Amino acid sequence: LGKNGFMKIGIIGAGYVGLVTAACLAEFGFQVTCCDKQQARIDMLNQGKSPIFEPGLELLLNKHADKNLFFTSDIQKLIQHNDVLFIAVGTPSDPDTGAADLSAVFHVAAQISDHLNQDKVVVTKSTVPVGTTRRLKQHFTDALQGKNSPHNIHVVSNPEFLREGSAIEDFMRPDRVIIGTDSDYSKSIMDMIYRPLYLYETPIVWTDFESAELTKYASNAFLATKVAFINEIANLCEKTNGTIDDVAKGLGLDKRIGHKFLHPSPGYGGSCFPKDTLAIAHLATEKNAPLTIVDSVITSNDNRKKNLITRIQGFLGKTPYFDHSATALHGKKAALLGLSFKPNTDDMRESPALYVVPDLLAAGCIVSAFDPEAHETAQQVIEDHPKLSFENSITDCLKDADFLVILTEWNQFRALDLGEIKTMMNNPVICDYRNIFAPNMAKQHGFCMDYVGKPALFSTETAHIEMINKKNIDNGAKPVSAVDG
Ligand code: UDX
Ligand code: UDX
């Protein structure tokens, strides 16, 4: 330990995980330095700005900046001046195989062994496949033996379970902490680091490296399975006139199932579920213990996002405002509310919008999008298009829109008044893929509304009856009257 037994912690990687870990460990009272190879990121942090949007993060960073929280791009100094090093660099999945790419983790490991000047505890915070922490240990043993180094490196696996949007809360009040160690020394250090959580009686699971690594992947795969499962049950509700809200509530009240992660959606996204399900499935196949359930979850969720455009087209065709032709969406203005993969983040990774925006453009739509935080990140990953615009307000986004698609359930969208929306749009048509608008309000304002897992609504206002009838007659069906359709 550093002088006076005061523990100094270095975090390598100033991404979501690294920054949240740094800010929260500083809040726990430790002296923390966070390092990133991107100088621009460090410059921003040194100017008191967070390079990512995460509620409460910037506040916490600024609270501790220059007191017990520092930023640097000098990894050598970081390694040499700290007792405990957390590795929080990205572990993206290989686009072809789905295997986690560990090159950044092992690059950092090589830097640690190169610059080692005293005993260290090295903690993997990044999500790494089962076996990686042991491989890291072997890497350090070989490297230090090769140099005849008198020092020791103790490795630890301490996977992170934070959710974007509530990451600070998740770190400060976790359901549990998982720590894989193989020495009393590293165990005592980790115990000291997480002591502030004893106040909340947070359970700590002390285990071996492999079980700790596996717990992280299994948790994410299980949660992704819950989401994919409820989404398929939502499909079934749509075909059978069931209502997913009631089904999910009934399911969730069974304590063995629990009510969380049973909200139907356009499909899960983010930096973790898609990547971690692929990685664990890949590993399982390699080890000849296939996870056929997880394989199906991956396919189910991918198809859900890919099929959103077909769903939108099918629904629009059933409203009085669009026809069934292949060119029905040509020149129509689509308003899109929500781009990030979930609310309270600017993260676009694997977001359903990455499918819907290009598919709407390909169908000939003019797309006008609004997201409270994700414009910049969206512009980085969605190709420029003359018919695509990112608007600065909901009003600009909705103006003269022929239909609206809701992809992310930001709170400010929930608060919108359907009466006002109707005055802004050309047609009262909404694809509400996060079920944020109450059906009775939609009915009251005469909206055609597509929901996930419950019956779609079709406008029954007298003014629209004529159009519906005309279509029905064209299709050989019976005319309707002014009752719920
Ligand atoms: C994290 C975890 O690392 C990943 O395993 C988990 O599954 C999801 O969250 P995240 O923090 O979101 O990843 O990654 P990212 O936002 O990509 O940040 C990683 C940071 O590490 C980047 O700022 C990158 O510049 C930095 N980095 C990467 C280094 O400083 N050095 C390197 O060698 C590689
Ligand atoms: C997840 C895990 O929850 C977290 O423990 C892990 O460390 C990282 O991965 P995150 O990706 O930030 O966190 O978000 P989360 O809230 O879990 O949502 C993931 C995706 O599932 C989002 O696209 C969300 O919209 C979707 N989802 C979630 C649903 O569609 N329905 C639900 O009921 C819950």
Side-chain angles (χ1 to χ4, degrees):
L1 292 196
K3 285 186 198 101
N4 317 322
F6 187 69
M7 191 170 357
K8 292 200 284 183
I9 300 178
I11 315 271
I12 304 165
Y16 276 103
V17 173
L19 278 179
V20 171
T21 306
C24 293
L25 290 179
E27 178 74 8
F28 281 179
F30 297 106
Q31 180 176 322
V32 180
T33 310
C34 188
C35 157
D36 202 288
K37 63 176 183 181
Q38 297 179 53
Q39 185 64 45
R41 207 161 249 239
I42 295 302
D43 291 344
M44 243 183 124
L45 285 160
N46 278 326
Q47 286 157 18
K49 289 191 211 104
S50 168
I52 54 169
F53 173 79
E54 178 61 39
L57 179 61
E58 200 166 271
L59 217 66
L60 210 53
L61 293 173
N62 285 322
K63 178 172 167 198
H64 296 288
D66 298 330
K67 296 187 194 91
N68 61 331
L69 177 58
F70 306 90
F71 302 100
T72 180
S73 54
D74 186 340
I75 189 160
Q76 179 171 350
K77 268 198 193 141
L78 180 108
I79 291 166
Q80 292 179 340
H81 292 183
N82 290 284
D83 310 296
V84 181
L85 302 172
F86 280 79
I87 303 183
V89 295
T91 52
S93 42
D94 182 299
D96 298 324
T97 62
D101 176 354
L102 295 175
S103 50
V105 171
F106 279 92
H107 177 64
V108 165
Q111 289 173 304
I112 294 175
S113 33
D114 283 351
H115 301 309
L116 196 70
N117 60 335
Q118 60 172 73
D119 285 6
K120 303 275 165 190
V121 172
V122 173
V123 185
T124 50
K125 204 66 175 145
S126 297
T127 304
V128 290
V130 187
T132 307
T133 308
R134 200 163 294 282
R135 266 178 71 200
L136 271 177
K137 183 182 160 100
Q138 193 59 49
H139 163 95
F140 289 133
T141 309
D142 294 347
L144 300 191
Q145 264 173 9
K147 298 202 301 188
N148 269 333
S149 168
H151 307 301
N152 254 324
I153 296 182
H154 301 262
V155 291
V156 172
S157 164
N158 173 214
E160 186 47 68
F161 293 93
L162 58 83
R163 283 163 304 169
E164 290 177 24
S166 54
I168 306 281
E169 174 74 12
D170 288 347
F171 195 100
M172 305 299 278
R173 310 259 171 126
D175 287 345
R176 79 311 201 188
V177 175
I178 310 289
I179 304 176
T181 58
D182 73 344
S183 77
D184 289 341
Y185 177 71
S186 53
K187 196 173 169 194
S188 66
I189 293 288
M190 295 309 287
D191 190 55
M192 220 186 286
I193 292 178
Y194 283 106
R195 195 163 292 160
L197 294 182
Y198 288 5
L199 196 62
Y200 305 115
E201 297 180 20
T202 307
I204 297 192
V205 179
W206 297 100
T207 182
D208 51 80
F209 302 147
E210 286 76 10
S211 306
E213 293 164 338
L214 201 48
T215 307
K216 164 76 191 202
Y217 276 112
S219 301
N220 275 352
F222 190 83
L223 292 170
T225 304
K226 255 186 131 175
V227 175
F229 179 82
I230 204 67
N231 279 338
E232 290 198 347
I233 298 291
N235 292 347
L236 193 55
C237 281
E238 288 162 20
K239 301 281 184 199
T240 53
N241 286 327
T243 301
I244 193 66
D245 310 1
D246 299 343
V247 176
K249 191 170 178 193
L251 261 174
L253 281 169
D254 184 329
K255 287 202 181 71
R256 293 168 303 176
I257 297 175
H259 63 274
K260 296 209 167 128
F261 281 70
L262 289 181
H263 299 284
S265 63
Y268 65 71
S271 67
C272 289
F273 284 6
K275 174 166 76 69
D276 294 351
T277 44
L278 279 174
I280 196 175
H282 175 83
L283 178 82
T285 308
E286 217 177 59
K287 298 284 179 197
N288 203 19
L291 289 171
T292 53
I293 295 173
V294 180
D295 290 337
S296 308
V297 165
I298 295 167
T299 311
S300 168
N301 193 63
D302 282 351
N303 287 342
R304 191 165 185 84
K305 292 192 278 191
K306 281 185 198 140
N307 292 338
L308 279 169
I309 184 70
T310 316
R311 176 179 185 136
I312 295 172
Q313 282 167 323
F315 168 70
L316 294 181
K318 287 189 205 143
T319 71
Y321 309 99
F322 297 82
D323 58 46
H324 286 287
S325 70
T327 55
L329 296 192
H330 250 268
K332 301 286 186 201
K333 179 174 169 183
L336 198 63
L337 288 184
L339 294 164
S340 54
F341 79 98
K342 68 171 202 178
N344 298 324
T345 173
D346 62 354
D347 198 332
M348 285 296 297
R349 286 179 276 187
E350 303 294 331
S351 163
L354 294 177
Y355 294 78
V356 173
V357 173
D359 289 350
L360 286 172
L361 290 167
C365 283
I366 300 156
V367 179
S368 139
F370 174 81
D371 188 284
E373 293 294 338
H375 284 180
E376 239 174 76
T377 43
Q379 273 164 312
Q380 286 161 15
V381 288
I382 299 176
E383 220 175 293
D384 274 352
H385 191 286
K387 291 192 175 151
L388 168 65
S389 62
F390 296 98
E391 305 294 346
N392 288 324
S393 71
I394 297 178
T395 321
D396 289 339
C397 174
L398 295 181
K399 193 166 181 294
D400 299 327
D402 293 296
F403 62 100
L404 162 64
V405 183
I406 309 266
L407 286 182
T408 316
E409 70 281 28
W410 285 88
N411 269 340
Q412 66 198 90
F413 303 159
R414 290 181 197 280
L416 289 173
D417 180 307
L418 281 173
E420 262 183 58
I421 291 188
K422 197 171 166 187
T423 62
M424 298 178 211
M425 295 177 62
N426 276 348
N427 308 316
V429 177
I430 302 183
C431 298
D432 179 4
Y433 295 147
R434 293 285 183 171
N435 290 353
I436 66 173
F437 294 117
N440 60 342
M441 295 301 285
K443 251 183 224 175
Q444 188 188 320
H445 291 285
F447 270 87
C448 291
M449 186 88 82
D450 193 20
Y451 287 115
V452 190
K454 54 189 179 190
L457 290 176
F458 293 97
S459 166
T460 51
E461 281 190 334
T462 332
H464 303 142
I465 294 299
E466 216 171 288
M467 294 168 81
I468 297 175
N469 279 341
K470 185 175 174 307
K471 281 188 77 172
N472 284 350
I473 290 161
D474 288 349
N475 297 337
K478 275 202 302 196
V480 298
S481 59
V483 290
D484 293 344

